[in-house]
Amino acid sequence: MLNGKRTSVRAHPMKRLLDVLREDCHLTGTKEGCGEGECGACTVALDGRAVNACLVPIAQVRGATVTTIEGLKGRHPLQRAFAEQGGAQCGICTPGMVMAAIALGPHPTLDEVRTGLAGNLCRCTGYMGIYRAIKAATRSSKEQEGRTKKKVASNRSSVDGGTKPKRRPSL
């Protein structure tokens, strides 16, 4: 599966996933930086884990799920946060940074962000804009979860006869 769609590609088994994405699938959002797995510009999600597409032979992708920056369709909260918080400047590292940040899960700590993005290099932002963007997206995610929980509680009280859910006493 590639970005949620079943995909078949004819390519040499040792052709890099990065080249297959860019040349055969015409998904050019994944960038080539160093081509040696040192910079993370080509980071994609492979079965939910961040990998450097320049190091993965396409033979190892058979039957796996690959998500590229295009698979987010420009609607992921991290993409908006990167734009709003100055996490994106020249744009070479940004798709890889976003994909690596997604692999961190919905609420990473700053230490987890620093460790998780240690393999992604940015020569423009100095990382503070990137860290702000991830923190902002995390905050947005927590707020969304809070609204969802309130909505579920509200729906539950409607089903239960209109009684409001009782609050637990704070400790």
Side-chain angles (χ1 to χ4, degrees), residues 43-167:
T43 302
V44 298
L46 179 62
D47 288 335
R49 295 183 50 217
V51 299
N52 293 325
C54 69
L55 298 179
V56 178
I58 194 67
Q60 291 184 356
V61 179
R62 178 177 224 143
T65 298
V66 176
T67 305
T68 68
I69 194 75
E70 289 91 344
L72 304 180
K73 302 181 181 185
R75 294 183 290 216
H76 194 281
L78 274 168
Q79 292 175 296
R80 179 179 303 128
F82 266 68
E84 291 174 353
Q85 300 294 324
Q89 289 190 9
C90 81
I92 293 296
C93 73
T94 306
M97 289 283 186
V98 170
M99 297 308 296
I102 288 172
L104 296 174
H107 307 295
T109 65
L110 182 57
D111 283 344
E112 290 169 333
V113 170
R114 287 182 174 152
T115 300
L117 298 184
N120 292 70
L121 300 179
C122 175
R123 293 172 179 87
C124 303
T125 66
Y127 296 93
M128 295 315 295
I130 293 166
Y131 296 157
R132 274 194 315 269
I134 295 169
K135 187 173 180 119
T138 298
R139 200 173 31 246
S140 171
S141 173
K142 283 183 178 176
E143 290 168 2
Q144 179 65 34
E145 285 178 13
R147 284 192 295 269
T148 302
K149 285 179 181 175
K150 284 182 181 177
K151 188 174 182 177
V152 168
S154 174
N155 289 343
R156 174 176 279 161
S157 68
S158 296
V159 171
D160 293 344
T163 56
K164 284 189 167 185
K166 292 182 180 178
R167 289 186 152 199

